[in-house]
């Protein structure tokens, strides 16, 4: 037996050694999918089934691609740097640079990240004098990206009125601007690559013959265009086409808002006539009670391929559930639990506080800060998105491509050079009239604008000459010095951290050159300009990854979306209330609710040893108090794995049926109990805690009251209909 198959379970072995045919692996949370996918590649090579250059491996993050390369290097006595392993965008970038002329792109085309794309759209709208209130830049950006991610160009988009026709026209203008400047955005990388392969039959056939095995990670997150790209490379399932080996988990598909289509898994199974679906159900991460909760929750989704997680780790501790009076009380309780766990010897870094919405973090952060507990908000500004890094990269982009107007505008007056808004407006007018970019337009100015902008152009021209014979790291260092960035941040009292980041950019450049410089294909040019373009593309692609900064031992705060792919000894999941989780925007549609349940499944399966679930009777969100019932997801957890914790003294609990419930000492939600004696008011015979009926809203329970007589009004929790204040003189409530 191959050494590669040591210590794998039977289902993992089936997946790794599957014959050369299309395969779908349903890999549950914590089931070792990365190991299976990587070992499958190593096994194909070791057994002589495929040569390294015949394999294409697609991941969704650069971090995952790096991890795959590291694992393969340890498994195989080969130099695997020439293998095509990367993200969809990274692989398409590589292919387009090999065939830039066929793709109608300049050799050194630049990649716009999300922020630069938005800046380019704003610049377009300003040039065309577009009403940004009627056509908000971010909305236009989402429209353009959504169209591209479904494979649509402006002429493919339906326009049914003047407003939508104008949006399509702006889409076309934006594409023309990008083509003129020699830049592409993220969706364009994939769409341009797909169109190139689709229309160029010899080129398409070349890659179809070369890549005989295509392996895809996180297949549940693919969008329509990504699936079409895979189908194209695999000859649409033809018998002589490449074999697709797709690994994913439909229960963890949580990116519908980004265009991910979980239905691609069923489509693949059907269209490629997949003979066997292998399920990886043994979980190596979580204890049994946590998995029981996850299985019970996700079982309520109807549109799933189906699997049941299990573990040999034993039952472990029950799922702890806590109801607080308010979000402040909830946060305070969480912090007290964190302090107790740390006193017991647990590292803060092993504790994660998860929430559905970023708006929930404020109260948690406040309580952590007040208690003096170090914490880190995961998913903050990443390295290549930091201000000083983007400034340095903009200078480098101008050296590589002077027609990049987005880079030009970012640094033309940073550090300050006395270039005012009027000078820039004049430059934009001249460039528009002459049909050129801003850089070229500067030569056609006169007066003061010509002097100040000419000095900036002279700086860039000087840099382009000075860096020609430099290594990539020396080039970056020289640009930081000569541009004035280092001096600017040295003069800033708070600039030390930014200076350290600029120094780290030098390290990034040196590491990139060391890792990629010696792996250049003979098809690629070996000059420094090409190396710079590759580094800039690398920086843009890296900006999309979620990477936590190294630092001191700190509690981790993050949204559930950010937590995907991570795991922690202890997980606190707060805000489990109807309208919050599941989110109110998703409750009324079946697809949205099923995605919310998948998101809950992801959250639960992040925990290894202990899971806390909490919710509050009242919560401040967007400046308003919200009164919600506890989430249906809490009720979907079997009582046998629950442990209800004591509420804060004096707080009353509401169950979804609208009854007061004391949680003290209970291990599961208790049956109906008597409420504390309410304050007596003249409420036409009604009282707080009483079940009532309304002609429009249906059954509810009175949770609060104020005023008396003709001015009396009550607050009623109507479950799915929400919590409402009603004037008794008008509402016509009747006892239920």
């Amino acid at each position: 037996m191959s050494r590669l198959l040591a210590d794998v379970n039977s289902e993992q072995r089936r997946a790794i050694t599957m014959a050369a045919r299309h395969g779908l692996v349903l890999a549950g949370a914590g089931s070792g999918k990365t190991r299976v996918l990587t070992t499958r590649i190593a096994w194909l090579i070791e057994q002589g089934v495929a040569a390294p250059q015949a394999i294409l491996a697609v991941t969704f993050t650069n971090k995952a691609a790096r991890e795959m390369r590291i694992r393969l290097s340890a498994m195989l006595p080969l130099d695997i740097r020439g293998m095509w392993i990367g993200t969809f965008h990274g692989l398409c970038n590589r292919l387009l640079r090999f065939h830039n002329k066929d793709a109608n792109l300049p050799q050194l085309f630049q990649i716009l990240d999300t922020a630069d794309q938005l800046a380019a759209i704003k610049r377009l709208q300003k040039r065309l004098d577009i009403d940004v209130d009627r056509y908000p830049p971010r909305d236009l950006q989402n429209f353009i990206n959504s169209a591209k991610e479904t494979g649509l160009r402006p002429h493919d988009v339906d326009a049914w009125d003047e407003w939508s026709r104008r949006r399509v026209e702006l889409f076309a203008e934006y594409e023309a601007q990008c083509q003129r400047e020699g830049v592409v955005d993220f969706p364009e990388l994939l769409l341009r690559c797909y169109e190139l392969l689709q229309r160029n039959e010899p080129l398409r056939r070349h890659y179809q013959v070369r890549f005989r095995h295509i392996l895809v990670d996180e297949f549940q997150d693919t969008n329509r265009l990504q699936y079409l790209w895979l189908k194209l490379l695999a000859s649409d399932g033809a018998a002589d086409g490449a074999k697709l080996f797709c690994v994913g988990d439909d229960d963890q598909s949580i990116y519908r808002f980004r265009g991910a289509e979980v239905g691609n898994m069923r489509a693949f199974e059907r269209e490629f006539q997949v003979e066997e679906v292998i399920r990886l159900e043994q979980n190596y991460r979580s204890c049994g009670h946590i998995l029981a909760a996850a299985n019970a929750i996700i079982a309520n989704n109807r549109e799933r391929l189906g699997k049941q997680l299990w573990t040999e780790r034993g039952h472990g501790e029950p799922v702890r559930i806590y109801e607080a009076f308010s979000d402040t009380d909830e946060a305070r309780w969480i912090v007290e639990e964190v302090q107790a766990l740390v006193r017991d010897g647990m590292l803060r870094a092993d504790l994660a506080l998860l929430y559905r919405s970023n708006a929930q973090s404020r109260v948690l952060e406040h309580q952590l800060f007040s208690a003096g507990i170090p914490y880190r908000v995961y998913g903050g500004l990443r390295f290549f998105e930091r201000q000083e890094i983007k400034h340095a990269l903009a200078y480098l982009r101008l050296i590589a491509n002077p027609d990049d107007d987005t880079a030009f505008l970012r640094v033309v007056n940073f550090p300050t050079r006395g270039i005012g808004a009027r000078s820039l407006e004049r430059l934009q007018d001249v460039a528009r009239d002459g049909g050129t970019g801003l850089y070229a337009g500067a030569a056609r100015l006169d007066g003061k604008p010509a002097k100040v902008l000419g000095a900036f152009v002279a700086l860039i021209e000087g840099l382009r000459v000075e860096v020609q014979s430099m290594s990539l790291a020396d080039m970056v260092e020289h640009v930081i010095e000569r541009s004035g960035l280092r001096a600017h941040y040295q003069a800033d009292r708070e600039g030390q951290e930014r200076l350290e980041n600029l120094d780290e950019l030098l390290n990034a450049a040196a590491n990139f050159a060391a890792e990629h410089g010696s792996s250049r294909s003979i098809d690629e040019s070996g000059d420094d300009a090409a190396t710079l373009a590759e580094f800039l593309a690398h920086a843009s692609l890296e900006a999309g990854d979620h990477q936590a900064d190294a630092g001191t031992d700190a509690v981790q705060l993050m949204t559930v979306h950010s937590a995907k792919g991570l795991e922690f000894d202890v997980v606190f999941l707060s805000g489990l209330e109807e309208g919050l989780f599941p989110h109110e925007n998703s409750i009324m549609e079946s697809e949205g609710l099923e995605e919310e349940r998948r998101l809950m499944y992801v959250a639960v399966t992040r925990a290894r040893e202990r899971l806390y679930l909490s919710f509050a009777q009242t919560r401040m969100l967007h400046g308003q108090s919200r009164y919600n019932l506890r989430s249906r997801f809490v009720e979907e957890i079997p009582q046998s794995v629950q442990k209800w914790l004591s509420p804060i003294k004096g707080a009353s609990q509401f169950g979804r049926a609208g009854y007061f419930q004391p949680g003290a000492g209970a291990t599961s939600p208790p049956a109906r109990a008597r409420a504390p004696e309410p304050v007596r008011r003249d409420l036409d015979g009604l009282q707080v805690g009483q079940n009532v009926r309304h002609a429009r809203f249906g059954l509810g329970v009175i949770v609060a009251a104020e005023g008396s007589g003709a001015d009396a009004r009550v607050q009623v929790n109507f479950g799915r209909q929400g919590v409402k204040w009603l004037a008794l003189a008008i509402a016509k409530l009747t006892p239920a």
Side-chain angles (χ1 to χ4, degrees):
M1 180 180 296
S2 168
R3 61 182 176 80
L4 296 174
L5 302 180
D7 301 323
V8 299
N9 64 43
S10 59
E11 292 306 298
Q12 290 174 333
R13 184 178 297 108
R14 283 180 58 204
I16 292 167
T17 61
M18 180 186 294
R21 61 174 185 264
H22 301 304
L24 177 60
V25 179
L26 287 180
S31 62
K33 71 174 181 61
T34 302
R35 180 182 185 183
V36 166
L37 189 67
T38 308
T39 308
R40 167 73 173 174
I41 297 173
W43 186 85
L44 289 172
I45 295 172
E46 181 192 70
Q47 298 298 312
V49 178
Q53 62 268 24
I55 291 174
L56 177 70
V58 189
T59 69
F60 265 83
T61 67
N62 291 294
K63 180 180 178 182
R66 285 193 296 271
E67 182 180 349
M68 189 176 296
R69 287 180 178 275
I70 291 171
R71 291 194 184 195
L72 282 171
S73 295
M75 291 179 179
L76 296 170
L78 301 172
D79 183 354
I80 56 91
R81 285 182 295 178
M83 289 180 63
W84 283 54
I85 300 173
T87 64
F88 281 101
H89 294 107
L91 293 170
C92 287
N93 169 65
R94 183 174 181 177
L95 194 147
L96 289 173
R97 293 197 185 276
F98 283 154
H99 309 285
N100 63 288
K101 290 183 179 179
D102 293 320
N104 192 25
L105 287 171
Q107 180 184 9
L108 303 179
F109 69 84
Q110 299 299 307
I111 301 173
L112 298 177
D113 64 17
T114 302
D116 287 336
Q117 182 192 27
L118 184 61
I121 289 172
K122 289 179 179 178
R123 177 161 40 84
L124 170 73
Q125 291 182 302
K126 185 174 183 179
R127 176 168 62 85
L128 299 177
D129 195 24
I130 300 299
D131 183 356
V132 295
D133 292 328
R134 184 168 172 77
Y135 300 95
R138 196 169 297 278
D139 288 352
L140 186 58
Q141 180 184 37
N142 292 336
F143 164 69
I144 291 171
N145 289 346
S146 178
K148 288 186 178 185
E149 287 168 356
T150 27
L152 303 179
R153 291 295 185 188
H155 61 269
D156 300 316
V157 180
D158 292 331
W160 54 90
D161 57 18
E162 180 184 353
W163 178 79
S164 58
R165 282 193 295 273
R166 188 57 175 149
R167 283 214 306 177
V168 172
E169 290 171 359
L170 291 173
F171 184 3
E173 289 279 359
Y174 167 76
E175 287 202 325
Q177 173 178 290
C178 289
Q179 185 66 34
R180 183 176 66 250
E181 296 177 6
V183 297
V184 297
D185 52 45
F186 276 99
E188 182 70 21
L189 281 172
L190 188 58
L191 181 55
R192 184 75 66 109
C193 184
Y194 174 75
E195 291 172 338
L196 171 63
L197 294 174
Q198 188 179 47
R199 70 171 180 267
N200 191 323
E201 184 176 355
L203 188 64
R204 179 176 71 250
R205 189 58 185 162
H206 165 75
Y207 283 105
Q208 288 174 337
V209 170
R210 172 175 178 171
F211 297 126
R212 307 310 299 159
H213 292 269
I214 302 175
L215 300 95
V216 188
D217 193 14
E218 303 286 7
F219 187 60
Q220 77 281 349
D221 292 333
T222 53
N223 62 30
R224 179 178 183 273
L225 183 58
Q226 288 163 344
Y227 181 53
L228 291 176
W229 185 80
L230 290 169
K231 287 181 63 179
L232 197 62
L233 285 174
S235 305
D236 287 317
D240 62 342
K243 303 309 176 186
L244 271 173
F245 182 87
C246 300
V247 180
D249 183 2
D250 57 325
D251 291 334
Q252 294 190 78
S253 179
I254 60 174
Y255 297 118
R256 190 166 66 113
F257 66 96
R258 294 182 185 169
E261 295 189 11
V262 66
N264 285 344
M265 301 189 79
R266 288 192 180 276
F268 168 60
E269 184 181 7
R270 180 181 65 255
E271 295 171 5
F272 284 78
Q273 300 179 1
V274 177
E275 299 177 9
E276 184 179 19
V277 176
I278 297 176
R279 289 169 168 80
L280 304 183
E281 298 174 304
Q282 183 174 357
N283 179 283
Y284 294 93
R285 175 189 301 159
S286 306
C287 293
H289 284 327
I290 294 172
L291 295 182
N295 287 331
I297 291 168
I298 202 64
N300 290 281
N301 272 4
R302 296 181 179 180
E303 298 297 325
R304 58 189 296 257
L305 296 170
K307 63 184 176 306
Q308 189 84 355
L309 296 181
W310 60 277
T311 183
E312 294 181 341
R313 297 191 59 198
H315 294 308
E317 301 184 28
V319 177
R320 291 163 166 81
I321 304 175
Y322 183 83
E323 179 175 16
F325 176 72
S326 68
D327 51 353
T328 300
D329 294 331
E330 179 190 38
R332 186 180 297 116
W333 170 78
I334 289 173
V335 168
E336 290 171 354
E337 288 291 317
V338 167
Q339 290 173 316
L341 290 168
V342 172
R343 284 195 300 269
D344 289 341
M346 184 164 288
L347 293 175
R348 285 185 287 267
D350 291 331
L351 309 176
L353 278 53
L354 309 186
Y355 35 82
R356 173 65 179 84
S357 169
N358 270 313
Q360 296 171 243
S361 72
R362 183 195 62 81
V363 65
L364 290 168
E365 291 187 58
H366 178 71
Q367 293 297 328
L368 288 165
F369 177 80
S370 298
I373 299 176
Y375 68 91
R376 182 177 300 111
V377 179
Y378 186 89
L381 284 178
R382 295 173 288 279
F383 180 77
F384 287 109
E385 294 178 333
R386 294 168 187 167
Q387 179 200 83
E388 60 279 10
I389 301 303
K390 289 180 75 69
H391 285 329
L393 292 176
Y395 278 105
L396 293 167
R397 284 168 52 180
L398 278 178
I399 291 172
N401 176 18
D403 292 328
D404 188 340
D405 285 355
T406 301
F408 183 99
L409 289 174
R410 170 173 280 276
V411 295
V412 66
N413 198 39
F414 192 92
T416 303
R417 298 183 177 88
I419 301 174
R422 290 187 178 181
S423 295
L424 289 177
E425 288 176 2
R426 174 64 180 149
L427 174 60
Q428 289 173 323
D429 291 339
V430 169
R432 181 182 64 247
D433 294 340
T436 68
L438 298 177
Y439 193 91
R444 303 176 62 238
L445 291 172
D446 52 25
K448 182 182 178 181
K451 181 178 180 180
V452 293
L453 286 165
F456 175 72
V457 170
L459 169 64
I460 300 302
E461 286 298 315
L463 286 172
R464 297 184 74 194
V465 173
E466 293 162 7
V467 304
Q468 282 183 358
S469 59
M470 293 183 180
S471 68
L472 182 61
D474 289 341
M475 187 187 306
V476 173
E477 184 174 21
H478 186 72
V479 167
I480 291 172
E481 295 289 345
R482 284 271 284 115
S483 65
L485 286 175
R486 185 175 295 280
H488 172 81
Y489 288 118
Q490 283 175 338
D492 186 350
R493 288 182 302 175
E494 300 178 359
Q496 184 58 40
E497 182 177 345
R498 298 189 187 279
L499 288 170
E500 291 173 358
N501 286 333
L502 289 174
D503 289 337
E504 185 59 30
L505 183 62
L506 304 182
N507 297 337
N511 291 338
F512 180 86
E515 294 175 6
H516 297 266
S518 61
S519 63
R520 191 186 310 282
S521 164
I522 58 173
D523 300 23
E524 301 172 87
S525 67
D527 59 22
D528 293 324
T531 303
L532 175 58
E534 292 164 2
F535 177 65
L536 293 171
H538 161 77
S540 295
L541 293 167
E542 282 280 318
D545 271 1
H546 297 274
Q547 299 180 28
D549 295 331
T552 58
D553 183 29
V555 176
Q556 309 292 306
L557 274 70
M558 67 195 75
T559 64
V560 180
H561 279 103
S562 297
K564 188 173 182 293
L566 305 177
E567 57 185 73
F568 305 90
D569 284 348
V570 178
V571 168
F572 292 84
L573 178 58
S574 61
L576 282 169
E577 298 135 33
E578 288 289 302
L580 188 56
F581 199 4
H583 195 275
E584 58 189 355
N585 293 341
S586 304
I587 289 177
M588 301 310 294
E589 54 167 333
S590 60
E591 287 187 11
L593 184 57
E594 292 218 344
E595 175 135 334
E596 289 290 298
R597 188 172 280 111
R598 293 194 293 268
L599 193 59
M600 178 68 179
Y601 175 83
V602 167
V604 169
T605 54
R606 298 311 93 196
R608 288 190 287 251
E609 306 291 342
R610 188 180 293 187
L611 174 65
Y612 291 88
L613 308 178
S614 63
F615 53 96
Q617 293 177 15
T618 64
R619 181 174 302 277
M620 288 291 294
L621 284 176
H622 312 299
Q624 297 181 339
S625 292
R626 293 179 52 163
Y627 299 81
N628 293 317
L629 296 173
R630 68 169 176 255
S631 171
R632 69 191 70 196
F633 300 151
V634 175
E635 295 199 347
E636 292 172 356
I637 298 174
Q639 292 188 15
S640 59
V641 303
Q642 298 178 4
K643 179 179 181 180
W644 282 67
L645 305 179
S646 301
I648 296 174
K649 186 176 181 181
S652 298
Q653 293 179 292
F654 290 98
R656 287 179 54 81
Y659 302 134
F660 285 93
Q661 294 180 329
T667 58
S668 61
R672 178 175 181 175
R674 295 181 62 185
E677 191 68 18
V679 177
R680 296 294 179 183
R681 296 183 183 272
D682 181 8
L683 301 176
D684 289 337
L686 302 176
Q687 60 184 3
V688 174
Q690 184 172 358
N691 293 330
V692 293
R693 185 184 301 276
H694 185 272
R696 177 182 174 187
F697 303 123
L699 289 173
V701 60
I702 299 175
V703 297
E706 66 180 26
S708 61
D711 296 326
R713 66 177 191 150
V714 293
Q715 188 180 51
V716 184
N717 192 328
F718 289 105
R720 299 285 178 87
Q721 300 295 328
V723 179
K724 307 180 185 300
W725 279 101
L726 301 173
L728 285 179
I730 300 173
K732 309 297 185 187
L733 294 174
T734 58

